Amino acid sequence: MAAKFAHELVILVIIASMFAVSMANKDWSFGSNNTDWWSRFGNHHNTTQQQPKNIIVGGLEHWHFGYNYTDWAIKDAPFYVNDTLVFKYDAPNATTFPHSVYMFQNFWSFLKCDLKRAKKLANPTQGSGEGFKFVLKRWQPHYFACGERNGFHCNNGTMKFSVMPMLRPFWQWP
């Protein structure tokens, strides 16, 4: 029964998060003035869908120990289906720790940094150069972390983050 409650709670949090992100647009207005409705949501002759983006994980910081990627993901949201996450990190050398990219199957494995149940997406050498690219192909939560140092980079809470890609709108949002 506790597992069912936890599952329902996770679903509720995901739905609430998606709602919060969708309402975060500063141009959104409440009230009865709907005079601009047709130009925003009506029949558009130019219905070109926004293009997927390449998003460098961590921005200018790239993928390294000591940066809070959960904060980064919150600040850089929203992410959309078919966007590409690019993990850039230095190959292991005398001055840097090695890094990797793991994806967890579920929220609980992510919280516990359970690398035994995670899938290794990129090894320590794949992040150099153009970086390792991961396409957000599905509308579902994705949980990422660094698995190096026996999970220490994940367990300290900074080298891990989750994203919930949203469906891309068919119109250009103002």
Side-chain angles (χ1 to χ4, degrees):
M1 185 163 133
K4 183 178 179 183
F5 174 75
H7 185 315
E8 290 174 0
L9 182 62
V10 168
I11 300 244
L12 179 64
V13 168
I14 290 170
I15 290 170
S17 298
M18 289 175 53
F19 179 74
V21 168
S22 68
M23 297 300 288
N25 188 326
K26 293 175 186 158
D27 294 330
W28 187 269
S29 59
F30 292 97
S32 60
N33 184 2
N34 295 323
T35 57
D36 195 29
W37 185 88
W38 188 256
S39 65
R40 278 189 160 181
F41 303 109
N43 185 15
H44 293 280
H45 296 290
N46 182 9
T47 57
T48 57
Q49 189 175 10
Q50 296 177 22
Q51 296 299 312
K53 296 179 182 176
N54 283 340
I55 302 163
I56 298 174
V57 174
L60 296 175
E61 293 289 328
H62 295 182
W63 187 238
H64 71 85
F65 182 73
Y67 185 73
N68 190 325
Y69 292 93
T70 299
D71 286 348
W72 167 81
I74 291 168
K75 291 175 186 171
D76 276 36
F79 300 94
Y80 294 99
V81 172
N82 292 325
D83 281 349
T84 301
L85 297 179
V86 181
F87 292 83
K88 289 186 170 191
Y89 48 92
D90 294 328
N93 60 46
T95 61
T96 63
F97 294 117
H99 299 297
S100 58
V101 180
Y102 280 78
M103 186 167 71
F104 295 91
Q105 293 177 357
N106 58 53
F107 182 69
W108 302 114
S109 294
F110 171 73
L111 280 180
K112 295 177 184 178
C113 294
D114 186 1
L115 295 173
K116 293 175 194 156
R117 295 178 184 236
K119 179 181 181 182
K120 188 175 199 175
L121 299 177
N123 67 38
T125 60
Q126 289 178 279
S128 61
E130 293 294 313
F132 168 75
K133 296 180 180 182
F134 181 85
V135 179
L136 300 169
K137 294 179 184 175
R138 296 181 183 211
W139 183 61
Q140 68 181 34
H142 293 77
Y143 307 102
F144 300 99
C146 176
E148 297 306 305
R149 300 271 197 197
N150 294 322
F152 175 74
H153 291 181
C154 177
N155 281 316
N156 86 343
T158 58
M159 279 195 87
K160 69 181 193 176
F161 69 99
S162 64
V163 297
M164 176 64 191
M166 298 172 45
L167 299 175
R168 193 173 301 281
F170 287 102
W171 60 85
Q172 185 69 35
W173 194 256

